[in-house]
Amino acid sequence: QKEVEQDPGPLSVPEGAIVSLNCTYSNSAFQYFMWYRQYSRKGPELLMYTYSSGNKEDGRFTAQVDKSSKYISLFIRDSQPSDSATYLCAMSVTGNQFYFGTGTSLTVIP
Amino acid sequence: ETGVTQTPRHLVMGMTNKKSLKCEQHLGHNAMYWYKQSAKKPLELMFVYSLEERVENNSVPSRFSPECPNSSHLFLHLHTLQPEDSALYLCASSPHTSGGGQETQYFGPGTRLLVL
């Protein structure tokens, strides 16, 4: 069983839609959770970082962690064409080694 | 990109060639990483350096040889690679490796490697 499972998509939505991206994991010891955005031909850039459970909001982005279900989500409100990218989840037990999902490819259609 | 730079951006090499990938970080970080990113696979951590000392090697084949001469530079020396080594090689840096979760990693743009 993989440490982190993420649906690769592709996911295609109209501009303005609410996007929900998800990852599940098997290791209940994970306590650091991150979402990265990766544009084509670029390296991943950190979008959101969450410690333990709960929600975190930053502008149009909201990250949720449900440790009881081993499930994390990233919501994008009022999606824009510039949000078109691959979104990677990552998680860690100690903050040292991170385990990444395969990434979900998102296209926002104008 | 000004934080973490990588050269070359693209590389095509034969299986008998020897080449090196270079990474430089301008963030004053103490830890640097090499990752391999293949299509439809998670990022694979290859090497971790902290203060120029290797602290982790995730059982990477010996045809990949890292070098960290100082905290700002990281190299990945390649020799006798296989076609399945074709991938995007990403360098990252972070302030430290010692946990806390705040040690978010900043990635370079990657080197797209094709082994023929």
Side-chain angles (χ1 to χ4, degrees):
Chain A
Q1 185 182 9
K2 290 181 185 176
E3 294 275 6
V4 181
E5 298 274 359
Q6 184 176 11
D7 185 342
L11 183 62
S12 185
V13 302
E15 184 175 353
I18 296 175
V19 176
S20 173
L21 304 167
N22 311 295
C23 288
T24 59
Y25 60 94
S26 56
N27 188 347
S28 58
F30 285 144
Q31 52 183 348
Y32 301 100
F33 303 92
M34 294 180 177
W35 285 96
Y36 285 86
R37 177 175 61 197
Q38 186 174 18
Y39 290 116
S40 179
R41 297 186 177 84
K42 299 277 190 178
E45 58 177 325
L46 182 69
L47 261 185
M48 301 286 283
Y49 153 73
T50 310
Y51 172 71
S52 194
S53 285
N55 294 359
K56 186 172 184 178
E57 189 173 320
D58 184 2
R60 296 184 295 111
F61 298 90
T62 300
Q64 285 187 351
V65 176
D66 183 348
K67 292 189 74 179
S68 61
S69 301
K70 297 180 190 170
Y71 188 88
I72 69 170
S73 300
L74 177 70
F75 297 97
I76 307 174
R77 292 184 299 281
D78 187 25
S79 55
Q80 303 294 310
S82 59
D83 295 327
S84 298
T86 296
Y87 290 80
L88 304 163
C89 63
M91 45 199 80
S92 173
V93 174
T94 60
N96 287 352
Q97 182 170 356
F98 288 89
Y99 296 86
F100 285 81
T102 53
T104 299
S105 175
L106 171 68
T107 300
V108 180
I109 303 168
Chain B
E1 301 101 1
T2 56
V4 181
T5 57
Q6 289 186 245
T7 55
R9 295 294 303 275
H10 302 273
L11 179 62
V12 180
M13 59 187 288
M15 289 190 285
T16 58
N17 291 158
K18 288 184 181 181
K19 297 285 184 184
S20 295
L21 310 184
K22 179 182 176 182
C23 175
E24 184 172 359
Q25 58 96 0
H26 312 272
L27 301 169
H29 290 167
N30 289 324
M32 297 186 78
Y33 310 77
W34 279 117
Y35 285 90
K36 176 183 179 183
Q37 187 175 35
S38 304
K40 302 195 187 306
K41 288 186 177 180
L43 261 68
E44 300 173 43
L45 179 63
M46 300 176 73
F47 300 103
V48 180
Y49 276 84
S50 177
L51 296 172
E52 303 150 47
E53 289 189 14
R54 189 158 73 190
V55 297
E56 192 157 340
N57 171 2
N58 285 6
S59 302
V60 176
S62 60
R63 56 186 184 269
F64 295 92
S65 174
E67 179 190 359
C68 189
N70 55 62
S71 59
S72 298
H73 293 87
L74 185 65
F75 295 90
L76 187 62
H77 304 299
L78 316 171
H79 64 97
T80 59
L81 293 192
Q82 304 298 309
E84 60 265 29
D85 297 322
S86 299
L88 181 68
Y89 288 85
L90 290 161
C91 173
S93 71
S94 67
H96 302 284
T97 58
S98 55
Q102 296 90 339
E103 313 309 350
T104 46
Q105 297 176 7
Y106 296 82
F107 286 86
T111 294
R112 177 71 62 185
L113 174 67
L114 177 61
V115 181
L116 300 176

